[in-house]
Each structure stands twice: as structure tokens, then as C-alpha cells.
Amino acid sequence: TALFLCVLFLAYFALQVIYARRKHKISPPETKGHPEFERIFRAQANCSEYFPIFISLLWVAGIFFHQGVAAVCGLLYLYTRFKYFQGYAVAAQGRLGPLYASARLLWLLLGLAGAGLLAHFLLP
């Protein structure tokens, strides 16, 4: 579920970049222009950059720790990234609260994945 939602969110973020390009008449490959476009572009790029880390941790935590706990963390992470995107689109400062929350959730997933791996390989 979290993986499917993540793909939908990434598609939504990409569409927002397309709409901002059209709105402000900024053709690819340009990445500079109206400040609103630049914020939306950066928000989409930042979310995409963290996608492989998130998915990797989600899967390892789900397989080796607990599927339900990992799924809840994954859904919360996606919610914080959505709020991050929305906040960043309005103002650069609007991204900070959700950014910190999503980082804490990634650390939590890392801890769960690590604990699951340790338990799997070190405990009989």
C-alpha cells in the first residue's frame, strides 16, 4: 500500500512541476525562473531523491521487523512528504516542519530495519 501511494505521490509531484512550467512559461530543461516554479521543482526533486532510501528501508523493516509497523511508518512518512511538498510550494520555510518529521520517520525505519536484521541473523 505504501509503495503504491508513494508512486502516486511522485506522479502527482511531477504533474505539479509540469503545471508550474506551463503557468510560468518555463520550458525544459530550464530549472530557473519564477520563484514559485523553483520551489515546486525543488520539492519534487527532493522527494524523488529520498524515494530509493525510503523504499529500501520500508521493505527491509517490513520483511525483517514487522509488516504492520513498517506500513504505519511508511504511511506517516508519505503524509509528511506530502505536507513537505505543499509547504515548500507556498514558501521555502513551509517545508521545515514536515522535513524534520519525515527525517525522524526515516531514522525510525532505519532502526526498525537494523533491529530486524540483527534479530534475524544473530538470534536463533
Side-chain angles (χ1 to χ4, degrees), residues 8-27:
L8 289 179
F9 278 16
L10 290 175
Y12 170 78
F13 298 156
L15 285 173
Q16 295 309 303
V17 172
I18 292 168
Y19 298 147
R21 282 187 182 282
R22 289 178 183 162
K23 178 179 177 182
H24 299 291
K25 297 177 178 36
I26 301 169
S27 298

Side-chain angles (χ1 to χ4, degrees), residues 12 22 38-39 55-56 59 62 64-65 74-75 80-81 83 90 93-94 101 103 105 110 119 122-123:
Y12 170 78
R22 289 178 183 162
E38 290 181 17
R39 288 192 310 271
I55 291 302
S56 300
W59 279 45
F64 291 100
F65 188 80
L75 292 172
T80 61
R81 288 312 276 192
K83 297 305 282 181
V90 174
Q93 291 294 334
L105 286 161
L110 178 64
L122 298 179
L123 298 177

Side-chain angles (χ1 to χ4, degrees), residues 91-114:
Q93 291 294 334
R95 78 192 194 288
L96 295 178
L99 174 66
Y100 299 142
S102 66
R104 285 190 295 272
L105 286 161
L106 279 181
W107 280 107
L108 177 58
L109 280 170
L110 178 64
L112 296 175

